[in-house]
Amino acid sequence: NAGVTQTPKFQVLKTGQSMTLQCAQDMNHEYMSWYRQDPGMGLRLIHYSVGAGITDQGEVPNGYNVSRSTTEDFPLRLLSAAPSQTSVYFCASSYSPGATYNEQFFGPGTRLTVL
Amino acid sequence: SQQGEEDPQALSIQEGENATMNCSYKTSINNLQWYRQNSGRGLVHLILIRSNEREKHSGRLRVTLDTSKKSSSLLITASRAADTASYFCATDRAGTASKLTFGTGTRLQVTL
């Protein structure tokens, strides 16, 4: 199994540009989530999904959209990039809809810089 | 806002010594998890302790949970250079089973 994969690994955007961060998992996990990690801030939950067709907001959802059309894929869209969105983005998945009852498997991250 | 706060922020020890990291949180929880992050990598799950458990072991790891003090500790015994990483606790607020909140982490440096 490849586990959780993320593309791209690095990305530089200009303010106002849009882009999609890709996340895929091949473990048939129901739960998927997106986090951002900033220095000294730990990880903060952006959006999550408990199954195909179901998404919900996390702690810092503004400026981001998600969709979950398949069990495997959970893309994160930046609508109009801002310098405040410069961060490292992690996708994670776990077996069941309850993230807190299961370990989460993390992807390798996408390092995004917005100029 | 951060639910979990780790202490210390950074810890430097020599190989063979024990490392203890602490996590404090603010609200009632269902479970508490610990994760490790090597530099430039994603997080890796270490151990989960449920709110009705007080202590749990996994290899060289020992986790304790004191719900009355809203705190947890992670002990790594006989540390190795390969244990050098950042360690995060992750908690959930009771009633929010789909959301984990991560602390700010402890950076552990193990030197030879």
Side-chain angles (χ1 to χ4, degrees), chain A residues 31 35 37 40-45 48 50 57 59 90 97-104 106-107, chain B residues 1-2 30-31 33 35 37 40-43 45 48 50 88 92 96-100 102-104:
Chain A
Y31 181 90
Y35 296 89
Q37 184 177 32
M41 295 287 290
L43 276 76
R44 290 183 291 169
L45 181 64
Y48 66 97
V50 298
Q57 295 181 350
E59 183 184 354
F90 289 99
T100 62
Y101 299 102
N102 302 276
E103 68 173 287
Q104 293 200 55
F106 280 79
Chain B
S1 61
Q2 298 296 130
N30 295 316
N31 308 287
Q33 303 184 38
Y35 286 81
Q37 183 181 34
R41 309 289 292 275
L43 278 72
H45 182 265
L48 181 152
R50 304 192 185 283
F88 295 87
D92 64 318
T96 61
S98 295
K99 296 181 181 181
L100 283 181
F102 285 81
T104 53

Side-chain angles (χ1 to χ4, degrees), chain B residues 22-96:
Chain B
N22 303 296
C23 169
S24 61
Y25 56 92
K26 299 174 183 176
T27 64
S28 296
I29 62 172
N30 295 316
N31 308 287
L32 185 144
Q33 303 184 38
W34 284 91
Y35 286 81
R36 184 188 75 231
Q37 183 181 34
N38 290 91
S39 180
R41 309 289 292 275
L43 278 72
V44 175
H45 182 265
L46 294 176
I47 196 166
L48 181 152
I49 186 166
R50 304 192 185 283
S51 59
N52 61 355
E53 296 176 314
R54 292 297 168 257
E55 186 171 314
K56 203 163 184 180
H57 296 256
S58 177
R60 293 184 296 112
L61 305 180
R62 172 178 170 257
V63 171
T64 62
L65 178 64
D66 187 336
T67 54
S68 66
K69 296 181 179 179
K70 293 186 171 57
S71 67
S72 173
S73 67
L74 171 67
L75 169 67
I76 304 174
T77 60
S79 63
R80 306 166 182 168
D83 295 327
T84 294
S86 291
Y87 292 82
F88 295 87
C89 67
T91 59
D92 64 318
R93 291 180 179 83
T96 61

Side-chain angles (χ1 to χ4, degrees), chain A:
Chain A
N1 287 349
V4 180
T5 58
Q6 292 183 236
T7 57
K9 291 186 178 180
F10 301 94
Q11 183 70 49
V12 179
L13 294 177
K14 294 181 179 178
T15 297
Q17 287 185 315
S18 62
M19 78 159 296
T20 299
L21 307 184
Q22 301 292 344
C23 174
Q25 51 89 12
D26 61 358
M27 298 173 282
N28 202 31
H29 286 175
E30 292 291 332
Y31 181 90
M32 296 186 75
S33 56
W34 277 101
Y35 296 89
R36 59 178 289 174
Q37 184 177 32
D38 302 295
M41 295 287 290
L43 276 76
R44 290 183 291 169
L45 181 64
I46 304 172
H47 285 285
Y48 66 97
S49 169
V50 298
I54 307 170
T55 64
D56 205 347
Q57 295 181 350
E59 183 184 354
V60 288
N62 292 341
Y64 308 95
N65 272 357
V66 292
S67 60
R68 184 92 179 273
S69 57
T70 67
T71 299
E72 294 78 21
D73 300 298
F74 191 44
L76 177 72
R77 298 181 185 85
L78 278 71
L79 308 174
S80 178
S84 60
Q85 294 179 303
T86 293
S87 187
V88 181
Y89 291 84
F90 289 99
C91 179
S93 71
S94 67
Y95 287 110
S96 76
T100 62
Y101 299 102
N102 302 276
E103 68 173 287
Q104 293 200 55
F105 293 81
F106 280 79
T110 294
R111 187 174 295 273
L112 175 68
T113 301
V114 182
L115 303 175

